[in-house]
Amino acid sequence: MIKAFHNQTIVTINKTPANEAQFCLINGDVLREVITDLSNGTFKVYMCLAQQSTGYEMIFTRRIAEEVYGIKQKQYRTAIQELIDKGYLVP
């Protein structure tokens, strides 16, 4: 089990499986769904996290989100909550 500090969020990726390869594979039906279902900022966070396999646990901090992906603090918090609320992430 991953341990996190108080300012970190541990998330477990929850997505429809696709064939494994070197590429970021996302089920086409799911991709069409998230494009219309998620706000723009949340979609950006989803795409960052979708690079991982389903069930993969990782620490995704707002600092990583901002420094690596350019996602601002408020956008990060809103996106993580939206992804949890809509079932794309498991808290």
Side-chain angles (χ1 to χ4, degrees), residues 11-15 49-50 52-58 88-89:
V11 297
T12 302
I13 307 301
N14 183 29
K15 67 179 186 178
L49 297 173
Q52 306 303 327
S53 299
T54 192
Y56 182 81
E57 288 186 335
M58 63 183 283
Y88 295 104
L89 289 178

Side-chain angles (χ1 to χ4, degrees), residues 21-75:
Q22 301 179 303
F23 304 97
C24 176
L25 295 175
I26 302 171
N27 179 289
D29 292 334
V30 173
L31 181 59
R32 285 184 285 283
E33 177 185 321
V34 298
I35 287 171
T36 58
D37 189 39
L38 300 177
S39 65
N40 290 340
T42 302
F43 179 73
K44 184 176 182 179
V45 172
Y46 174 86
M47 292 302 295
C48 296
L49 297 173
Q51 298 174 59
Q52 306 303 327
S53 299
T54 192
Y56 182 81
E57 288 186 335
M58 63 183 283
I59 295 175
F60 187 66
T61 65
R62 58 186 169 86
R63 182 176 177 190
I64 291 170
E66 185 164 8
E67 289 179 4
V68 177
Y69 301 106
I71 298 165
K72 300 298 181 195
Q73 179 178 345
K74 183 178 178 185
Q75 183 182 41

Side-chain angles (χ1 to χ4, degrees), residues 2-13:
I2 296 175
K3 294 190 180 201
F5 293 98
H6 70 281
N7 65 336
Q8 298 175 325
T9 302
I10 297 175
V11 297
T12 302
I13 307 301

